[in-house]
């Protein structure tokens, strides 16, 4: 009873009367099934194996069995080994062909794909499994060689064909088997279901893990019987012997045909067979010998059987290798601690242990040699998780089985885990005659999640043929690791010696955690014969079955050429598949983070591949362009969502570029809709602008059609390939329109205005769809792309926003776009203005009024787009760090106001007044609003006047006027000062001062503020201050400021005079203090005197001016000819200044006081009338003007400089060397010559007026060198803004004057003459005063005598008697007379 031989436990349980099977002919096809069984939905196609030989027969299973417990495709055969036809019913030779066709279109759903692998959801998953998947526990298993899957619960088993069969109806009807045995507790492990490869249909093996009970049906039709009694009767039952208390079966491994290895939790391995040596169904179990037990004898055996002593309790993997002989297979057992056992198993139970090796040290050493050994290795623990046989080595076209070599090649999955780290590795392990070698280790860098604890399933390692890819399957993740080795090279040899060959590819497929998905079964799958690569099939609770297939390296490429995992690859998968499926989590793992620069570049490349349709994941053909564009737009949206949610923050420049690509796609969709609508409504023979436009675009700016590929639709081709170059549509919309028009004229068949209007409308549509959609998309998606919505207004980034830093030029405001939209609007306005009044051309093909109205409405939208593009452009330029670029932006902003105003005015003239007003309000263009409304009011008032005169109805015009005036009044409250300034400025610009002061009284507050804040209004704002505000002081201040602007002489005098008058009024009403205004009065008196001097000079020149034509240049030349020939000759700067001064004098424009003084002193002495008062006093007048100016400005430095220059010019007017030569001259002649000089006359006038009392005349020597150097001018405010070059020219001219002065001083001995001349002038004044006094005394005495004589004569005439004479004589002593001799009365 303690024998290890096979125990046919099923003998007692089987019905001895059951008819024995006679071979392969005893099948579903020949048995008469009960009716209820026939209604189970089973068909012969349900059981047809997927893989067949070309002749429709199965391969012998003994010829090429697979490793790791699975058979290769087509490897199973009937028990007897005879080839049997697969089809039982309706057999025909065309079945295999139809089956291959269905495989190519199996209805699977692509979940994700890249250049290396693809994940597909198989369409064959039963709906019951999908709907009930999350409701409980499931266990899954696959039979890849059969194409079947089995999923078990505690009570049922579901079996279905997961590989596509020829009969699609059978796919949706799985076989549901009610289990014969039920677990005692719902917490018990799930039953283990295994499909047994038999012919013509697979068998079903169910093992209860805890009780060890086994149920086996040699056909699925028997297992699926709805008759429980018949089901039980057809089952072969048994149990697994030797299970101890608390022990259960954890895993089933297919070891050979109809043979399995059961792994128990105690570590024991049980070999189970389902047929005896005669091939009859029979359950037999045998425990593999315990080679680790060293205690012999019967008691040792008892302990081994009942106590499990010595068993490998930490068995982690049991794998079946290749067949060594017909009934012999190599199996391997591995433990978590790295102990590996290689067994020879046989069908008859003669099992033997070949080798037992401890690989732990070698595994650790291999990890150390990679350089990735954890630093805290003392706290790290190595654990083997799973292992797998590596496939046979391929040499040319031959396949060499592992039996050809004595080495056993394994791939071992290990984990190094510690407190905070988990690192997985795949080790290539060779076991040769008990010796172990680990030549290669593949560190898994893409997955480092900790191992799940508790009841979670252990990771599973799958290595399907041809062994290029390993699949590591966790509960919620699948790791793909390339096992391809790099071809030999010096670099690869060094890497190999270091035992670290770089992995060309690794990736992780994570299931979404929020769905409750979990992997319940997996298997290495076989690819079809016409497909290269490897695959694995995975059963997921709550979802279904998926297949992960990896393509092999293409012919001609090396393993190093396989596409490595890049940021672009992961982004593409997330973009194109992330939102289309609910299974895979595309958010990325922390172990697979890419550099920000790589993510940025990848994002931009993907975005461009979408807008250009160059991505392999996009189809470029289909009946619906709308759906195609929508798919691409969705992909762009998914791209930014993934980047924002799962990647490092991108710089704002990258986000701008991504946003611009997305808005181009949105604009392309809008353009397509308009084009599609246009095509459906276009008259036959008429051209469609977009079609012509695409043809006109330069080949450098578009992707050319390929006629050899039958690409004939220009528009669709452009929308597929060139959306990223959408900005070329905007300028070409006008260029194509203009080109078509010119061509029609050149052809002698000019297009009608109606046809032309339709093309204009299409051009408007193209530009509007491009720009409006772009700005709208930008505004609505700003936050999605990481921009602040508040920083945008209808897609326009606000001024001075930080996002302008480093931002490229937006495509919507490039120079060609700005020019194109503006040109099209101007083109239409010109077209509309050239139309005849009745809107019909000479041929009678004029555009319909409704079309013109429609274009006019579009025109308003286009003007809005024009404003946006220009605002965006100049704000972008002004944000530049280059001064020249900023200046360009400022100029553009300044110059754009005029075109915008013209557009809005033209819009109003087209009957779109409200649209014009709305746009003006939108962009707060007060100037444009004022011009539009005022123009409309004026035109309407004129029209109203005509209607009233004609006696016609004027209600509509009155309403229009009232509407405009309503806007005007409303804006004062709505916009305040901004509107007031624009509105009132228009009155000023049109010189409608009276209307301004009259109509502005309704807005008194705004009018007064406007006038006070605009200095140019000071010359009339005093009227408002006096008549409306009563502010005399403000009026005086305004007039004082206006004096600086007054240019004409008479206006200046009036302003100064009224300013004095207003100041006096302000003092009278106590708005100003009398003492405070005294300096003002003094300054105003001085200005009036200076103005009076200019008037005197003009009057003096008047006779000369009469000789010239009434032309300023002519009069200037006449004056220069008479008065500017000698003194300014040879002095270009002085002559030029004199000419300018003369021109202003001629035009009666105000000269500055300093310029007036210069003008007076520039004039030639010999051109003046020597006896005229002006000729005698001109230098004195010049000095007085300079003093008056200095008194009002306080500029003493300028006064000192100019006074010295005037004195020098006064001196050099005469020939002092000649005067100094007094030989043969009498005293009178010398005195006359000295007295005739300008110096004497000036000194005499100064003494006479007392001017020298405050400004004594300077000594000639102090005048030397004045104004002959550039620094000497810098003290004067007059020359503060002059350049050194300009001053050096003036200094050179003044140096000539200084040279003449030196001649007078040296040769004319002016220094010696100076005192005498001064004394002579002073004596002359005194003598003149004395003479005048004597003459006055004589005059007074003569007048006194005359009055006395007259008095006597009057008395005599009246006949006064003696009495009166006496009385008069008596009272004479009492009469008083004044100083003139008149009697003082009373």
């Amino acid at each position: 009873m303690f024998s290890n031989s096979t125990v046919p436990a099923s003998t007692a349980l089987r019905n001895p009367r059951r008819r024995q099977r006679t071979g392969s002919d005893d099948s579903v096809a020949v048995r008469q099934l009960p009716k209820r069984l026939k209604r189970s939905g089973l068909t012969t196609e349900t059981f047809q194996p997927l893989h067949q030989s070309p002749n429709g027969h199965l391969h012998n299973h003994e010829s090429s069995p697979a490793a790791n417990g699975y058979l290769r495709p087509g490897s199973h055969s009937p028990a007897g080994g005879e080839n049997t036809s697969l089809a039982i019913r309706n057999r025909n030779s065309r079945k295999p062909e139809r089956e291959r066709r269905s495989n190519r279109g199996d209805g699977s759903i692509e979940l994700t794909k890249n250049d290396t692998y693809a994940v597909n959801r198989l369409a064959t998953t039963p709906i019951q499994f999908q709907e009930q998947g999350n409701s409980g526990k499931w266990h899954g298993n696959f039979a890849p060689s059969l194409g079947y899957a089995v999923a078990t619960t505690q009570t049922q088993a579901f079996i279905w064909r997961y590989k596509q069969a020829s009969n699609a109806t059978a796919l949706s009807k799985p076989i549901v088997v009610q289990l014969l045995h039920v677990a005692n507790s719902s917490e018990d492990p799930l039953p283990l279901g295994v499909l047994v490869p038999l012919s013509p249909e697979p068998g079903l093996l169910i093992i209860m893990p805890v009780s060890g009970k086994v149920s086996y049906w040699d056909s699925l039709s028997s297992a699926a019987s709805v008759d429980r009694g018949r089901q039980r009767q057809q089952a072969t039952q048994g149990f697994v012997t030797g299970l101890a208390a608390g022990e259960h079966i954890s895993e089933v491994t297919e070891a050979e045909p109809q043979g399995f290895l059961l792994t128990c939790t105690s570590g024991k391995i049980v070999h189970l067979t389902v047929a005896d040596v005669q091939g009859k169904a029979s359950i037999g179990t045998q425990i593999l010998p315990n080679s680790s037990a060293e205690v012999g004898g019967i008691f040792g055996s008892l302990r081994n059987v009942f106590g499990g002593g010595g068993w490998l309790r930490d068995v982690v993997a049991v794998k079946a290798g290749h067949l060594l002989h017909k009934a012999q297979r190599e199996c391997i057992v591995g433990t978590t601690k790295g102990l590996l056992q290689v067994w020879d198993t046989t069908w008859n139970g003669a099992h033997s242990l070949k080798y037992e090796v401890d690989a732990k040290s070698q595994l650790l050493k291999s990890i150390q040699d990679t350089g990735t050994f954890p630093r805290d290795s003392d706290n790290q623990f190595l654990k083997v998780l799973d292992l797998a046989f590596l496939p046979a080595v391929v040499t040319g076209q031959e396949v060499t089985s592992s039996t050809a070599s004595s080495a056993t090649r394994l791939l071992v999955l290990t984990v190094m885990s510690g407190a905070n780290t988990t690192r997985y590795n795949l080790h290539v392990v060779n076991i040769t005659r008990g010796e172990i070698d680990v030549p290669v280790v593949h560190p898994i860098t893409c997955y480092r999640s900790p191992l799940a604890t508790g009841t979670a399933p252990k990771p599973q390692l799958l290595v399907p043929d041809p062994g290029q890819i390993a699949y590591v399957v966790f509960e919620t993740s699948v790791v793909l690791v390339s096992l391809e080795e790099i071809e030999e090279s010096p670099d690869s040899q060094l890497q190999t010696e270091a035992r670290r060959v770089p992995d060309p590819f690794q990736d992780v497929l994570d299931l979404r955690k929020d769905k409750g998905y979990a992997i319940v079964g997996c298997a290495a799958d076989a690819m079809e014969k016409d497909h290269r690569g490897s695959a694995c099939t995975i059963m997921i609770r709550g979802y279904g079955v998926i297949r992960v297939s990896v393509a092999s390296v293409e012919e001609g490429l090396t393993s190093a050429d396989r596409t490595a995992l890049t940021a672009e690859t992961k982004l593409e998968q997330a973009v194109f598949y992330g939102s289309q499926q609910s299974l895979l989590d595309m958010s990325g793992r922390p172990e697979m983070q890419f550099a920000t620069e790589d993510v940025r570049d990848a994002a931009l490349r993907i975005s461009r591949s979408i807008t250009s349709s160059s991505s392999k994941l996009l189809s470029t053909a289909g009946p619906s362009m709308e759906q195609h564009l929508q798919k691409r737009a969705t992909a762009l949206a998914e791209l930014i969502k993934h980047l924002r949610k799962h990647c490092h923050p991108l710089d704002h420049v990258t986000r701008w570029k991504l946003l611009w690509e997305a808005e181009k796609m949105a604009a392309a969709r809008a353009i397509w809709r308009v084009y599609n609508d246009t095509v459906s409504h276009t008259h036959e023979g008429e051209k469609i602008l977009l079609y012509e436009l695409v043809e006109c675009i330069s080949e450098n700016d578009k992707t050319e059609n390929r006629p050899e590929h039958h690409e004939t639709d220009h528009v669709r081709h452009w929308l597929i390939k060139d959306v990223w170059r959408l900005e070329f549509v905007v300028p070409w919309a006008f260029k194509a329109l203009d080109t078509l028009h010119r061509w029609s004229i050149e052809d002698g068949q000019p297009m009608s205005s109606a046809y032309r209007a339709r093309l204009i409308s299409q051009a408007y549509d193209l530009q509007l769809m491009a720009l409006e959609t772009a700005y709208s998309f930008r505004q609505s998606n700003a936050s999605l792309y990481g921009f602040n919505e508040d920083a945008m207004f209808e897609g326009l980034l606000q001024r001075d926003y930080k996002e302008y830093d480093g931002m490229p030029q937006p495509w919507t405001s490039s120079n060609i776009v700005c020019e194109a939209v503006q040109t099209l609007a101007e083109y239409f306005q010109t077209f509309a203005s050239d139309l005849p009044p009745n809107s019909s051309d000479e041929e009678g093909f004029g555009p319909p009024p409704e079309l013109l109205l429609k274009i006019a409405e579009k025109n308003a939208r286009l003007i809005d787009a024009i404003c946006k593009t220009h605002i965006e452009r100049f704000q972008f330029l002004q944000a530049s760090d280059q001064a020249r670029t900023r200046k360009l932006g400022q100029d553009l902003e300044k110059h754009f106001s005029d075109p915008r105003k013209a557009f809005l005015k033209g819009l109003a003239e087209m009957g779109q007044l409200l649209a014009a007003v709305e746009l003006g309000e939108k962009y707060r263009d007060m100037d444009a609003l004022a011009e539009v409304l005022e123009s409309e009011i004026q035109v309407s008032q004129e029209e109203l006047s005509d209607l009233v005169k004609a006696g016609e109805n004027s209600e509509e015009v009155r309403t229009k006027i009232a509407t405009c005036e309503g806007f005007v009044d409303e804006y004062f409250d709505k916009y305040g000062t901004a509107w007031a300034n624009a509105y009132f400025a228009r009155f000023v610009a049109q010189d409608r001062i009276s209307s301004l002061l009259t109509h502005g009284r309704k807005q008194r507050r705004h009018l007064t503020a406007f006038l006070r804040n605009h200095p140019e209004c000071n010359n009339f704002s005093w009227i408002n201050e006096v008549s409306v505000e009563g502010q005399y002081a403000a009026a005086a201040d305004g007039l004082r400021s206006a004096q600086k602007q007054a240019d004409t002489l008479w206006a200046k005098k009036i302003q100064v005079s009224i300013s004095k008058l207003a100041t006096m009024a302000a003092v009278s009403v106590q708005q100003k203090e009398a003492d405070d205004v005294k300096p003002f009065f003094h300054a105003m008196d001085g200005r009036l005197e200076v103005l009076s001097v200019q008037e005197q000079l003009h009057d003096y020149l008047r006779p000369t001016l009469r000789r010239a034509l009434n032309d300023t240049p002519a009069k200037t030349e006449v004056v220069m000819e008479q008065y500017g020939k000698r003194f300014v000759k040879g002095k270009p700067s002085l002559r030029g200044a004199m000419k300018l001064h003369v021109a202003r004098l001629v035009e009666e424009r105000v000269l500055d006081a300093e310029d007036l003084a210069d003008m007076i002193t520039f004039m030639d002495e010999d051109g003046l009338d020597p006896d005229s008062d002006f000729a005698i006093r001109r230098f004195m007048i010049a000095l007085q003007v300079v003093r008056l100016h200095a008194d009002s400005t306080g500029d003493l430095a300028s006064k000192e400089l100019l006074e010295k220059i005037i004195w020098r010019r006064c001196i050099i007017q005469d020939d002092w060397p000649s005067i100094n030569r007094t030989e043969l001259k009498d005293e009178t002649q010398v005195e006359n010559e000295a007295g005739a000089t300008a110096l004497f006359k000036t000194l005499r006038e100064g003494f006479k007026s007392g001017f020298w009392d405050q400004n004594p005349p300077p000594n000639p020597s102090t005048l030397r060198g004045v104004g002959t150097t550039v620094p000497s001018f810098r003290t004067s405010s007059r020359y503060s803004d002059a350049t050194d070059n300009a001053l050096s020219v003036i200094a050179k001219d003044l140096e000539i004057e200084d040279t003449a002065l030196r001649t007078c001083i040296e040769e004319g001995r002016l220094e010696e003459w100076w005192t005498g001349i001064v004394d002579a002038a002073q004596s002359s004044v005194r003598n003149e005063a004395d003479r005048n006094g004597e003459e006055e005394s004589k005059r007074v005495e003569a007048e006194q005598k005359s009055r006395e004589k007259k008095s006597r004569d009057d008395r005599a005439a009246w006949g006064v008697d003696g009495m009166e004479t006496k009385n008069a004589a008596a009272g004479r002593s009492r009469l008083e007379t004044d100083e003139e001799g008149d009697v003082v009365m009373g």
Side-chain angles (χ1 to χ4, degrees), residues 12 32 74 160 191 197 232 288 318 321 503 526 533 874 892 982 1019 1043 1053 1129 1148 1180 1242 1266 1273 1307 1336:
Q32 296 297 322
W160 71 93
R232 185 179 297 274
L288 267 65
V318 177
D503 297 323
F874 66 63
L892 179 62
N1019 58 342
Q1043 296 171 23
K1053 289 189 67 175
K1129 183 179 181 181
E1148 298 188 67
M1180 185 69 245
T1242 302
V1266 174
F1273 290 101
E1307 298 180 12
E1336 183 66 19

Side-chain angles (χ1 to χ4, degrees), residues 993-1008:
I993 307 304
S994 176
S995 298
L996 171 65
L997 298 177
T998 302
H999 296 110
R1001 292 187 179 184
K1002 292 194 302 182
Q1003 302 293 337
R1004 169 181 170 182
R1005 177 174 58 88
H1006 291 291
L1007 176 61
T1008 300

Side-chain angles (χ1 to χ4, degrees), residues 874-889:
F874 66 63
Q875 287 185 171
F876 168 77
L877 295 175
Q878 291 171 10
S880 172
D881 55 359
Q882 301 293 327
R884 182 178 179 182
T885 305
R886 291 196 301 271
K887 179 63 167 55
L888 183 63

Side-chain angles (χ1 to χ4, degrees), residues 527-602:
M527 299 289 284
E528 286 74 4
K529 292 182 179 180
D530 55 348
H531 290 78
R532 300 176 60 195
S534 59
C536 77
T537 308
I538 299 172
M539 187 182 299
I540 300 173
R541 182 185 66 201
Y543 187 79
V545 179
I546 66 171
R547 173 178 291 164
V548 183
S549 56
V550 178
S552 62
V553 178
E554 295 182 6
E555 186 176 353
L557 301 178
T558 65
S559 56
D561 295 321
R562 182 188 289 277
T563 303
L565 186 66
T566 62
E568 185 172 357
T569 300
K570 297 301 290 182
L571 276 178
E572 274 190 328
Q573 289 180 267
V575 167
F576 289 100
Y577 298 103
S579 63
Q580 298 180 11
Q581 49 83 32
S582 62
L583 176 67
L584 300 178
D585 182 0
M586 299 291 187
S587 61
R589 299 187 60 83
E591 303 93 332
M592 300 177 67
Q593 295 297 319
F594 300 94
T596 303
E597 294 78 9
D598 294 338
V599 175
R600 175 198 63 201
D601 296 341

Side-chain angles (χ1 to χ4, degrees), residues 1336-1352:
E1336 183 66 19
S1337 297
K1338 291 179 180 179
R1339 184 184 64 78
V1340 170
E1341 183 178 356
E1343 290 179 354
Q1344 179 66 25
K1345 290 180 178 179
S1346 175
R1347 285 196 295 270
E1348 290 177 355
K1349 181 178 181 299
K1350 183 178 179 181
S1351 177
R1352 290 195 297 269

Side-chain angles (χ1 to χ4, degrees), residues 106 108-122 462 464-466 468-471 478 480 505 507 509 523-528 531-538 545-553 562 573 584:
D106 58 1
S108 61
I109 300 174
E110 193 173 70
L111 302 181
T112 186
K113 179 184 178 181
N114 58 33
D115 291 338
T116 302
Y117 66 85
V119 181
N120 292 276
R121 180 183 185 178
L122 303 185
L462 306 175
D465 288 338
Q468 295 177 341
I469 294 290
Y471 300 84
V478 180
L480 285 70
F505 175 80
D507 200 2
L509 300 173
D525 211 344
M527 299 289 284
E528 286 74 4
H531 290 78
R532 300 176 60 195
S534 59
C536 77
T537 308
I538 299 172
V545 179
I546 66 171
R547 173 178 291 164
V548 183
S549 56
V550 178
S552 62
V553 178
R562 182 188 289 277
Q573 289 180 267
L584 300 178

Side-chain angles (χ1 to χ4, degrees), residues 269 312 315 317-319 331-335 339-343 387:
I269 308 299
L312 306 176
V315 172
V318 177
K319 301 294 181 179
C331 297
I332 191 161
V333 179
T335 69
L339 186 66
L340 302 178
Q341 293 181 342
V342 181
W343 289 80
L387 54 86

